[in-house]
Coordinates of all heavy atoms in Angstrom, one line a residue:
W1 N -12.0 93.4 41.6 CA -13.0 93.2 42.5 C -14.0 92.2 41.9 O -14.8 91.3 42.5 CB -13.8 94.4 42.8 CG -12.9 95.4 43.6 CD1 -12.3 96.5 43.2 CD2 -12.4 95.1 45.0 NE1 -11.5 97.0 44.3 CE2 -11.6 96.2 45.2 CE3 -12.7 94.2 45.9 CZ2 -11.0 96.4 46.7 CZ3 -12.2 94.3 47.3 CH2 -11.3 95.3 47.6
T2 N -14.2 92.1 40.5 CA -15.1 91.2 39.9 C -14.5 89.8 40.0 O -15.3 88.8 40.3 CB -15.1 91.6 38.4 OG1 -15.7 92.9 38.2 CG2 -16.1 90.6 37.6
M3 N -13.1 89.6 39.9 CA -12.5 88.3 40.0 C -12.8 87.9 41.5 O -12.9 86.6 41.8 CB -11.1 88.4 39.7 CG -10.3 87.2 39.8 SD -8.5 87.3 39.6 CE -8.1 88.1 41.1
L4 N -12.6 88.8 42.5 CA -12.8 88.4 43.9 C -14.3 88.0 44.0 O -14.5 87.0 44.9 CB -12.4 89.6 44.8 CG -12.2 89.2 46.2 CD1 -10.9 88.4 46.4 CD2 -11.9 90.5 47.0
G5 N -15.2 88.6 43.4 CA -16.7 88.2 43.5 C -16.9 86.8 43.0 O -17.5 86.1 43.6
F6 N -16.2 86.6 41.8 CA -16.3 85.2 41.3 C -15.7 84.1 42.3 O -16.4 83.0 42.5 CB -15.5 85.0 40.0 CG -16.2 85.4 38.8 CD1 -16.2 86.7 38.2 CD2 -17.0 84.5 38.2 CE1 -16.9 87.0 37.0 CE2 -17.9 84.7 37.1 CZ -17.7 85.9 36.4
L7 N -14.6 84.5 43.0 CA -13.9 83.5 43.9 C -14.9 83.2 45.1 O -15.2 82.1 45.5 CB -12.6 84.1 44.4 CG -11.5 84.3 43.4 CD1 -10.3 84.8 44.2 CD2 -11.2 82.9 43.0
F8 N -15.5 84.3 45.7 CA -16.3 84.1 46.8 C -17.8 83.4 46.5 O -18.4 83.0 47.3 CB -16.7 85.4 47.4 CG -15.7 85.9 48.3 CD1 -14.8 86.9 47.9 CD2 -15.5 85.4 49.6 CE1 -13.6 87.3 48.9 CE2 -14.4 85.8 50.4 CZ -13.6 86.8 50.1
I9 N -18.2 83.5 45.1 CA -19.3 82.8 44.7 C -19.1 81.3 44.3 O -19.7 80.5 44.7 CB -20.0 83.5 43.7 CG1 -20.5 84.9 44.2 CG2 -21.3 82.8 43.2 CD1 -21.1 85.8 43.2
L10 N -18.1 81.2 43.3 CA -17.9 79.9 42.6 C -17.3 78.9 43.6 O -17.6 77.6 43.6 CB -17.0 80.0 41.5 CG -17.6 80.9 40.3 CD1 -16.6 81.1 39.1 CD2 -18.8 80.3 39.8
I11 N -16.4 79.3 44.5 CA -15.7 78.2 45.4 C -16.7 77.7 46.3 O -16.8 76.4 46.5 CB -14.5 78.9 46.1 CG1 -13.4 79.1 45.1 CG2 -14.0 78.0 47.2 CD1 -12.2 79.9 45.8
P12 N -17.5 78.4 47.1 CA -18.5 77.8 47.9 C -19.5 77.0 47.1 O -20.0 75.9 47.7 CB -19.2 79.1 48.7 CG -18.2 80.1 48.6 CD -17.5 79.9 47.3
L13 N -20.0 77.4 46.0 CA -20.8 76.6 45.1 C -20.3 75.3 44.7 O -20.9 74.2 44.8 CB -21.2 77.4 43.9 CG -22.3 78.5 44.0 CD1 -22.5 79.1 42.7 CD2 -23.6 77.9 44.4
G14 N -19.0 75.3 44.6 CA -18.1 74.1 44.3 C -18.2 73.2 45.5 O -18.4 72.0 45.3
W15 N -18.0 73.7 46.7 CA -18.2 72.9 47.9 C -19.4 72.3 48.0 O -19.6 71.1 48.4 CB -17.8 73.8 49.0 CG -16.3 74.2 49.2 CD1 -15.4 73.7 48.5 CD2 -15.8 75.3 49.9 NE1 -14.0 74.3 48.8 CE2 -14.4 75.2 49.6 CE3 -16.3 76.1 50.9 CZ2 -13.5 76.3 50.2 CZ3 -15.4 77.0 51.5 CH2 -14.1 77.0 51.3
I16 N -20.5 73.2 47.8 CA -21.9 72.5 48.0 C -22.2 71.6 47.0 O -22.7 70.5 47.4 CB -22.9 73.7 47.8 CG1 -22.9 74.8 48.9 CG2 -24.4 73.2 47.7 CD1 -23.6 76.1 48.7
G17 N -21.7 71.8 45.7 CA -22.0 70.7 44.7 C -21.2 69.4 45.0 O -21.7 68.3 44.9
G18 N -19.9 69.6 45.6 CA -19.2 68.4 46.1 C -19.9 67.6 47.2 O -19.9 66.5 47.2
G19 N -20.5 68.3 48.1 CA -21.2 67.8 49.2 C -22.5 67.0 48.6 O -22.6 65.9 49.2
V20 N -23.2 67.5 47.7 CA -24.2 66.8 47.1 C -23.9 65.5 46.4 O -24.4 64.4 46.5 CB -25.0 67.7 46.2 CG1 -26.1 67.0 45.5 CG2 -25.7 68.8 47.0
Y21 N -22.7 65.6 45.6 CA -22.2 64.5 45.0 C -21.8 63.4 45.8 O -22.0 62.3 45.6 CB -21.1 65.1 44.1 CG -20.2 64.1 43.3 CD1 -20.9 63.2 42.4 CD2 -18.8 64.0 43.5 CE1 -20.1 62.2 41.7 CE2 -18.0 63.1 42.6 CZ -18.6 62.3 41.9 OH -17.9 61.4 41.0
F22 N -20.8 63.7 46.8 CA -20.4 62.8 47.8 C -21.5 62.1 48.6 O -21.5 60.9 48.7 CB -19.4 63.5 48.7 CG -18.0 63.5 48.4 CD1 -17.6 63.9 47.1 CD2 -17.0 63.0 49.2 CE1 -16.3 64.1 46.7 CE2 -15.7 63.0 48.8 CZ -15.4 63.5 47.5
R23 N -22.5 62.8 48.8 CA -23.7 62.2 49.6 C -24.3 61.3 48.7 O -24.7 60.1 49.2 CB -24.6 63.3 50.0 CG -25.9 62.8 50.7 CD -26.7 63.9 51.1 NE -28.0 63.4 51.8 CZ -29.1 63.2 51.0 NH1 -29.2 63.3 49.7 NH2 -30.2 62.7 51.7
Q24 N -24.6 61.6 47.4 CA -25.2 60.6 46.5 C -24.5 59.4 46.4 O -25.0 58.2 46.3 CB -25.5 61.3 45.2 CG -26.7 62.3 45.2 CD -28.0 61.9 45.8 OE1 -28.3 62.2 47.0 NE2 -28.6 61.0 45.0
V25 N -23.2 59.5 46.2 CA -22.3 58.4 45.9 C -22.3 57.5 47.2 O -22.4 56.3 47.2 CB -20.9 58.7 45.4 CG1 -20.0 57.5 45.3 CG2 -21.0 59.5 44.1
A26 N -22.0 58.2 48.3 CA -21.9 57.4 49.6 C -23.3 56.7 49.9 O -23.2 55.6 50.5 CB -21.7 58.3 50.8
K27 N -24.4 57.3 49.6 CA -25.7 56.8 49.9 C -25.8 55.4 49.0 O -26.5 54.5 49.5 CB -26.9 57.7 49.4 CG -28.2 57.2 49.6 CD -29.2 58.3 49.3 CE -30.6 57.9 49.6 NZ -31.6 59.0 49.1
S28 N -25.3 55.3 47.9 CA -25.4 54.0 47.1 C -24.7 52.8 47.6 O -24.8 51.8 47.3 CB -24.8 54.3 45.7 OG -23.5 54.5 45.6
T29 N -23.6 53.2 48.7 CA -22.9 52.1 49.2 C -23.4 51.7 50.6 O -22.8 50.7 51.1 CB -21.4 52.7 49.4 OG1 -21.3 53.8 50.4 CG2 -20.8 53.1 48.1
L30 N -24.4 52.4 51.1 CA -25.0 52.0 52.5 C -25.6 50.7 52.4 O -26.3 50.3 51.4 CB -25.8 53.1 52.9 CG -25.2 54.5 53.2 CD1 -26.3 55.4 53.7 CD2 -24.1 54.3 54.2
D31 N -25.6 50.0 53.5 CA -26.4 48.7 53.6 C -28.0 49.0 53.6 O -28.3 50.1 54.0 CB -26.0 48.0 54.9 CG -24.5 47.5 54.7 OD1 -24.1 47.2 53.6 OD2 -23.8 47.5 55.8

């Protein structure tokens, strides 16, 4: 259950961090 808790917390946090990262990189390419 501890491992399952890690999965439900870390994976969404990774998605959120990825969204922030992609947004910052994409923003640098906009006209």
